[in-house]
Amino acid sequence: MLGNDPVLLTPGPLTTSPATREAMLRDWGSWDAAFNRITQSVCADLVQIVHGENDYVCVPLQGSGTFSVEAAIGTLVPRNGCVLVPDNGAYCARIVRILERMGIAHVALPLGEDEPATAAAVEDALNRDSRITHVALVHLETSAGLLNPLDAIAAVCKRHGKRLIVDAMSSFGALPIDLRDGGIDAVISASGKCLEGVPGMGFVIVRRTLLEECAGRSPSLALDLHDQYVYLRKTAQWRFTPPTHVVAALRHALDRFAAEGGQPARGARYTRNCAVLIEGMRDLGFEPFLRPDVQAPVIVTFHAPRDPAWRFADFYAAVREAGYILYPGKLTQVETFRVGCIGAIDANEMHNAVAAIGRTVAALGLHVR
Ligand SMILES: *Cc1c(COP(=O)(O)O)cnc(C)c1O
């Protein structure tokens, strides 16, 4: 089914279905009504996945996921705002860098890379610093694969009257996100993660009344979500050249998503993939970095073997030769590597991946335990 291409065990780009790739075998004009209808239906579906039909709009944006994170912050946070950033990994740190670049005041809430943010810690930070106007939360910290408790933190933000912007890049579609409780103001994700599209566009699902207050606020023209929204609404077209093939592939990927059974079914498949992966890797002697109760079923960080002969680059190359692409670690303190369990792959493929890793360990003569 996948031809001779290696299977991507990475958090995006990931392995897509052949039919999703085939959806790109046409050219669309950006002015064409047929393409504009695709954009509209994609946006409508994305809002529905997180139950935002009544009060939220989806603004798509060209570029990788970070472009949409930067666009959301630049458009939704006023210059004199102050953003609390619970920090347990590289994607949280990236939000802090974006805020620094924009000269927006912020307060980091430092946490361990294996330590979820808690509602109590967020509440404590809000009580300590009355300057804080917004909270920027990474739902699933892809650096370690760590899940942060979104609903509990959203409830705190709502109670304190703070705006909550959620980087749900690697959780959207796989884990439940529900905008109906009203504590979340904006959710950001992208085409090429758990929706199993190809990379190239992000999107921000944002409370309509909030976005409408944000005219002229973005310091960037290309990343101005309000401008993109107004133009799309007026003309049905993207401002600036749309990633037409990416949008068409996402349309197809969303059809597959619905046919599979939506978020609950996708989450269940990834959960099975993750269980097979962790169990198989443990049998080989590899230890997961995270405790099971904070491990999200999207990407798993494993401790590197203590064997002095361990070189990730050699291991990567040998596993690639066996048909699977692994991912380097992204933690600051410990030597790790990561294996994704998302994409158009099932538990059977995960069994095969673990078997290939086992053969590679043996062939390289690595001592894992
Ligand atoms: C993938 C990802 C992003 C976006 O990264 P890009 O390299 O711009 O695609 C942002 N946040 C999280 C949590 C992610 O997993």
Side-chain angles (χ1 to χ4, degrees), residues 43-79:
C43 288
D45 284 13
L46 293 172
V47 171
Q48 251 182 23
I49 290 170
V50 287
H51 313 288
E53 293 91 323
N54 292 335
D55 301 322
Y56 293 78
V57 293
C58 171
V59 187
L61 189 70
Q62 299 91 332
S64 86
T66 304
F67 290 59
S68 286
V69 175
E70 190 157 338
I73 290 171
T75 306
L76 304 178
V77 182
R79 283 326 75 195

Side-chain angles (χ1 to χ4, degrees), residues 64-66 69 91 94 138 140 142 167 169-170 193:
S64 86
T66 304
V69 175
Y91 292 99
R94 191 178 290 176
V138 175
L140 197 173
T142 320
D167 171 350
M169 208 65 68
S170 61
K193 298 223 174 177

Side-chain angles (χ1 to χ4, degrees), residues 279-288 302-305 367-369:
E279 200 182 302
M281 291 294 278
R282 272 191 191 285
D283 286 346
L284 295 174
F286 289 101
E287 276 307 311
F302 292 98
H303 288 281
H367 296 281
V368 177
R369 276 172 235 269

Side-chain angles (χ1 to χ4, degrees), residues 179-231:
L179 299 178
R180 286 172 296 191
D181 292 334
I184 301 173
D185 293 287
V187 178
I188 310 154
S189 190
S191 53
K193 298 223 174 177
C194 300
L195 296 172
E196 300 182 2
V198 303
M201 65 168 273
F203 54 88
V204 182
I205 296 173
V206 51
R207 194 188 296 284
R208 187 193 299 109
T209 51
L210 171 62
L211 183 59
E212 283 170 352
E213 294 166 9
C214 297
R217 186 181 282 174
S218 171
S220 162
L221 174 68
L223 300 181
D224 186 340
L225 282 185
H226 180 271
D227 214 29
Q228 177 91 317
Y229 167 66
V230 168
Y231 192 83

Side-chain angles (χ1 to χ4, degrees), residues 147-161:
L147 187 61
N148 283 310
L150 174 58
D151 290 342
I153 290 171
V156 166
C157 291
K158 187 177 175 182
R159 205 160 59 239
H160 285 254

Side-chain angles (χ1 to χ4, degrees), residues 246-309:
V246 176
V247 179
L250 182 57
R251 176 63 268 157
H252 189 271
L254 285 167
D255 292 341
R256 294 180 70 84
F257 178 80
E260 184 174 2
Q263 177 273 319
R266 179 127 324 164
R269 174 160 58 84
Y270 290 171
T271 299
R272 287 191 298 276
N273 288 355
C274 187
V276 167
L277 173 68
I278 289 179
E279 200 182 302
M281 291 294 278
R282 272 191 191 285
D283 286 346
L284 295 174
F286 289 101
E287 276 307 311
F289 170 73
L290 291 178
R291 300 194 317 265
D293 61 312
V294 298
Q295 170 73 64
V298 167
I299 185 163
V300 182
T301 300
F302 292 98
H303 288 281
R306 273 189 280 271
D307 191 331

